[in-house]
Amino acid sequence: MLKDSNYFSWRNISEMADIDSHIVFATTLMGKYDWEEATKHSLEKQLSAIVDKQNDNLLNISVIGEFSTGKSSFINALVGYELLAVNAIQGTTVAITIIEYSEKFSITLTDFLGKSSKRVYKSIDSLRQQLHIYTTDAAYAKKIDYVTVTLPSIILKNGYRIIDTPGTNSLELWHEEVTCRAIRELSDLSIILTDATQPMPATLMSFLDNTLGESVKNCAFVANKIDRIREKERNGIIKFIGKKICQNFDIEESMVLPFSSVALTNSFAKETVNVDSGSFLLTTSSLERLLSYTAKQRLRAQAQKMLHLVDDIYSTLDNNIKSIATQYQQELQMLERSKQTDFKPFISKQIVMRQKNFLAEANDYKYKVESVCESLASNAKSCIETKIEDCANLDSLSDYIKGSLSDNIKDEGQSIISGTEAQFRELRKLFNKELKKFQKEFEGEFDKLKILSVKFNIKPKDVAVRHSAHSANIGPVTTLITEELSKENWAFGGGAAAGAAIGTAIAPGVGTLFGAVIGFIAGAAVAPDTSEVKGQIKSKLSTPLRSYYRSVVSDCMTNYNNYVNDINLYLQTEINRYYSTYASTIRQRIKDWETQHRNIKVRIQKIEKEINGLRNRQQSIKNIMSKI
């Protein structure tokens, strides 16, 4: 049996690679930078797998082989105990068996729900008898997820965990599925057993290719039952197996060790069995070599994963530097082109075009505004006539003329102004329409000239309307009515003259017109009919009202023309303002770029320093891998 030696402990070999130091370095470096989400996820996933494997102090070695190739005998040799029953009948082991170190002999059964039950045994013999039932009885095996066995084995104490699996050429398909799951979920690497009398059959080669894939390169191979081969042919068998493995799995060099269960018998039994001595038997030296190889392969796999991670970080940072440098150089070139581009001819052309389009549409729209004004003026005149008609008698007519008529005439004039200005909204729409066309044309120049694109969020201010319609004066209306009505004889016996005098005294400025009306009322004895009076008043008011409201319409259209001219000038102002904003934006961007570029240079220098560190890490890992 093997002595308690750390020679083949993979933890000793692990110290050479200093994987822990590389993990700290990678973790620190990944925390320094902002990574793209997909890149970050990929790097973290790689690092997590390395850390998880590094934190696992045990090396999980699965033993794989077809039924009746002597897996149980080989595992017994590894652990130094006659643990597994050796049986030539196909189907010896049908459940996953995990063999770990402990000072006590125990068996733990874990079902598919994760529930476990443990039992401790006094000796290896009592444990072996019960284990045989659990691992070979199909009724038990189908209920058990896996069986964990512990025993005080020197090899296991040195950081190894052995995983026994069902054979790969079973008549029961589920046996092979159990083996595949053990390799996929539990195993770090595998020791592949083949019968020296029928080495590497096609069924085993197919299983390894489909199940292990690239991992075959890290496996160790054992030619079992070598004692059944004539001594002079053994070396040839070992070479044949190695060559077949290299050819089928594209491996430069493979490890193939001979094994004989007879050698183990000498260790366990008191009787002496004559076997060949020499390098072809699984001696302590060859066992140490095997375990050292598996440990190194585990470490090589860790180192390879770490190298891949370092390579990925390196390439990401290197690409990042190139991307940053290229991006800022391209931006500077674009800014310089933007600064040097002469937009004045383009702006002048745009001003002429936009103003021309605006004036053409504003002129077309003018006919609608005039129509609206005329309609409003007609409604205003009708409204005044309606108010006169609504007076019930001469008293109320007198009160209306003396009190509200003047204000109503003015109010109706103002309604014409308000109604017309409401139509001016269309001018603002036309203005915004041309301004947006300019913006689109201007932004099109950015793409065409490959210069800096600026999105304009400048909102133009509304142009105030110049209110010229207030200049219309109602004075001529009242004067004209007074003159016209004073010529008429509205009452007999001096009533009209007396009324005119009273009216003038009461309401100077309104004049003889209203006085005459009052006089007419005063001459009640000979007063005419109320309807007749209202009719005469409306007739006399018709011409001056029409003239007054026409003057209001004229002022409104003058106001329209003024507003069109104001907006047209403002259109030029806004286009120039947009160009001025663009030019100032370019100047500011160049200043910002200069500041950012100084910071970027410092950042690039830091990243280059990190990259140099990564190069050293890469070389260090490669050197270790070449020594393993």
Side-chain angles (χ1 to χ4, degrees), residues 453-483:
S453 177
V454 173
K455 290 295 183 181
F456 294 103
N457 296 317
I458 311 169
K459 185 178 180 181
K461 298 178 182 178
D462 286 336
V463 182
V465 180
R466 290 187 285 174
H467 295 287
S468 60
H470 289 297
S471 61
N473 189 358
I474 197 175
V477 180
T478 55
T479 300
L480 181 60
I481 294 174
T482 300
E483 291 174 353

Side-chain angles (χ1 to χ4, degrees), residues 217-220 255 288-297:
K217 297 180 180 181
N218 299 324
C219 294
M255 169 171 277
E288 288 175 349
R289 181 184 169 199
L290 174 63
L291 296 178
S292 177
Y293 175 81
T294 58
K296 287 179 181 180
Q297 292 305 104

Side-chain angles (χ1 to χ4, degrees), residues 1-2 16 130 150-151 171 179 189 194 271 288 331 340 345 349 378 393 433 438 483 488 570 621 623:
M1 296 180 64
L2 293 172
M16 297 168 52
Q130 191 62 43
T150 66
L151 65 162
L171 298 177
T179 300
L189 49 88
T194 184
E271 59 189 275
E288 288 175 349
E331 184 173 353
Q340 295 169 7
K349 183 179 179 181
S378 177
N393 50 50
K433 175 183 174 182
F438 161 73
E483 291 174 353
E488 301 295 334
Y570 189 51
I621 295 171
N623 290 340

Side-chain angles (χ1 to χ4, degrees), residues 94-320:
V94 293
I96 297 174
T97 305
I98 301 172
I99 309 169
E100 300 178 343
Y101 174 79
S102 174
E103 290 296 330
K104 296 181 180 180
F105 296 98
S106 72
I107 296 177
T108 301
L109 302 180
T110 304
D111 64 19
F112 291 98
L113 297 177
K115 295 181 179 180
S116 299
S117 59
K118 181 177 180 180
R119 183 176 177 183
V120 178
Y121 299 88
K122 293 181 179 181
S123 66
I124 187 65
D125 293 331
S126 56
L127 181 147
R128 181 175 62 251
Q129 292 174 5
Q130 191 62 43
L131 179 63
H132 180 71
I133 298 173
Y134 293 145
T135 58
T136 61
D137 188 326
Y140 272 106
K142 289 185 178 181
K143 296 178 183 178
I144 299 171
D145 191 10
Y146 55 89
V147 179
T148 304
V149 178
T150 66
L151 65 162
S153 166
I154 295 174
I155 290 178
L156 301 179
K157 188 177 182 180
N158 278 280
Y160 293 87
R161 178 187 286 124
I162 308 299
I163 302 170
D164 186 21
T165 62
T168 61
N169 62 338
S170 171
L171 298 177
E172 296 284 349
L173 180 60
W174 67 275
H175 290 181
E176 194 162 288
E177 291 175 351
V178 171
T179 300
C180 291
R181 186 170 66 85
I183 295 170
R184 184 176 61 252
E185 299 178 4
L186 303 174
S187 178
D188 290 325
L189 49 88
S190 302
I191 295 177
I192 315 298
L193 263 68
T194 184
D195 191 330
T197 62
Q198 295 178 334
M200 303 303 294
T203 51
L204 178 60
M205 298 290 284
S206 176
F207 175 83
L208 296 179
D209 189 39
N210 295 331
T211 307
L212 295 180
E214 287 294 311
S215 299
V216 174
K217 297 180 180 181
N218 299 324
C219 294
F221 292 82
V222 172
N224 195 16
K225 304 179 183 178
I226 196 69
D227 57 296
R228 299 185 185 182
I229 303 297
R230 288 186 296 180
E231 185 175 358
K232 63 180 181 180
E233 296 176 357
R234 293 174 184 171
N235 191 41
I237 289 294
I238 298 300
K239 289 182 179 179
F240 169 79
I241 294 173
K243 184 177 180 180
K244 191 170 185 179
I245 292 168
C246 291
Q247 289 177 346
N248 282 270
F249 301 114
D250 192 24
I251 302 174
E252 292 183 6
E253 185 178 358
S254 62
M255 169 171 277
V256 183
L257 292 175
F259 172 69
S260 173
S261 59
V262 185
L264 180 63
T265 305
N266 282 333
S267 298
F268 292 155
K270 295 180 180 179
E271 59 189 275
T272 300
V273 179
N274 294 321
V275 296
D276 296 327
S277 60
S279 61
F280 289 110
L281 299 182
L282 189 61
T283 61
T284 300
S285 175
S286 60
L287 182 56
E288 288 175 349
R289 181 184 169 199
L290 174 63
L291 296 178
S292 177
Y293 175 81
T294 58
K296 287 179 181 180
Q297 292 305 104
R298 148 73 180 254
L299 181 57
R300 175 181 285 273
Q302 277 289 81
Q304 187 66 55
K305 290 177 184 176
M306 179 56 70
L307 183 60
H308 286 160
L309 175 61
V310 171
D311 286 346
D312 286 349
I313 295 175
Y314 175 93
S315 60
T316 301
L317 290 179
D318 188 51
N319 290 335
N320 193 15

Side-chain angles (χ1 to χ4, degrees), residues 368-380:
K368 179 180 179 180
V369 176
E370 287 177 335
S371 176
V372 170
C373 280
E374 293 293 343
S375 177
L376 290 171
S378 177
N379 290 340

Side-chain angles (χ1 to χ4, degrees), residues 546-607:
R546 185 179 295 108
S547 176
Y548 169 67
Y549 287 134
R550 280 178 178 173
S551 70
V552 173
V553 168
S554 177
D555 281 352
C556 284
M557 295 312 299
T558 299
N559 207 22
Y560 177 85
N561 292 331
N562 290 336
Y563 194 47
V564 168
N565 291 332
D566 289 345
I567 291 180
N568 194 45
L569 291 174
Y570 189 51
L571 188 58
Q572 177 179 349
T573 300
E574 281 299 289
I575 291 175
N576 283 323
R577 185 163 74 99
Y578 274 58
Y579 170 64
S580 176
T581 299
Y582 177 78
S584 64
T585 300
I586 296 298
R587 290 192 295 270
Q588 185 59 48
R589 282 287 185 90
I590 292 177
K591 289 181 180 179
D592 293 342
W593 184 92
E594 291 171 348
T595 301
Q596 291 173 0
H597 190 59
R598 287 192 293 270
N599 297 332
I600 287 299
K601 281 185 175 180
V602 174
R603 182 182 173 192
I604 288 177
Q605 288 172 356
K606 289 181 178 179
I607 296 177

